[in-house]
Amino acid sequence: MTVSVSGLKVAVVHEWLEHYAGSERVVGELLRIFPHAEVFAVVDFLPESERAFLGGRKVTTTFIQKLPFARKHFRNYLNLMPVAVEQLDLAGFDLVFSSHHAVAKGIITGPDQLHISYVHSPMRYAWDMQTSYLRQSGLEHGLKGFFVRWMLHRIRNWDVRSAAGVDAFVANSAYIARRIRKVYRRHATVIHPPVDVHRFLPAQDSPDRHAYLVAARQVPYKRVDLVAEAFRQMPGRKLIIAGDGPEHDRIAAIAADAPNIILRGKVPDAELLTMMQQARAFVFAAEEDFGITLVEAQACGTPVIAFGRGGAKDIVREEGCPEGVSGVLFGQQTAASIIDAVSRFETIRDQVTAENCRNNALRFSREAFQGHIEELVDRLLDENNAEAI
């Protein structure tokens, strides 16, 4: 960094610590950049086997940690979380990062503290996904449904008000930057989350890439069913489906009369890596905020065929891109649209080289993330110092 942070006290505020997943990867990388940072969270129920990224740090939590049944049902205390996160004592910290997808950005900081909020997504179930959330939870009607609507209304008001306490927003994709603009009316710098591209490498030999691959948890929004239906209608093209979940039986029924579709269930990480390295293309039909698995596939030198909404638009380089083609996007979540995308991919397959895919993935490396964060902090500290003179 051109501006020294060695003398600064840094805090990282995370939503809640339950499992090590995508947002926790961001926290882990921030802790690598700022090795003396302290960690705060609404609750911390992370198992010992997943705590390595914290580097032995003790996590400061809120009063929700000690409420009845919080270990398994802390989300039921959502209406208390705005109050809880505001009680975290961050006095004395010079630089505060909030890792936000629900309430973390609502921390209270002073005029001489720099608050940067890395937003994985504004609270979806309180904003544009409220109707879907209520429907899926069976809360469209009745007294309980009315209470949840009232609670989410209050949270929306607080969510907008607390955005004023953020000095700089960072979005994990251009899609999330647009959502931040829509909800908070604030600009956000796009810094993609870090991906361990050095673990996902192309195969050392030249695999016979004859099978397409979809690997995802089989839940409704992942739309694995659409991929299965599309390949059921393309009997000449082989598809491997990895993963499990509540949609498994439905997907299995679609594939039952399609010998070209192979269901593998949940596979170990090492086996999934091999499958990615050998796939003709990685197919992805979900609308994700970012989509780390797309980058992992690209890092393996594998082309991607993805739904052209959300983070996929940041990741996949289409035909005509001067840096090289890395895949194909399709415009609708339908089997017909996927079939068309596969057909288009086959016509340009020679242009979608493993080298193009690998080079594209390097844009999302941990080193790239670190460089972008350091550059942002340098700039903001420079601006703050200039204002203080």
Side-chain angles (χ1 to χ4, degrees), residues 64-71 73 77:
I64 292 178
Q65 180 84 16
K66 298 181 179 179
L67 292 180
F69 312 110
R71 176 172 290 275
H73 303 291
Y77 293 115

Side-chain angles (χ1 to χ4, degrees), residues 6 63-64 67 73 80 89 108 112 181 207 222 230-231 235 240 247 264-265 313-314 330 349 367 372:
S6 58
F63 65 81
I64 292 178
L67 292 180
H73 303 291
L80 295 179
D89 183 6
I108 296 175
D112 296 323
R181 175 65 180 168
K222 292 289 188 179
F231 278 82
I240 298 174
E247 289 274 283
R264 295 292 302 274
K313 292 188 69 174
D314 289 17
F330 55 91
R349 183 168 174 261
E367 293 80 6
H372 293 317

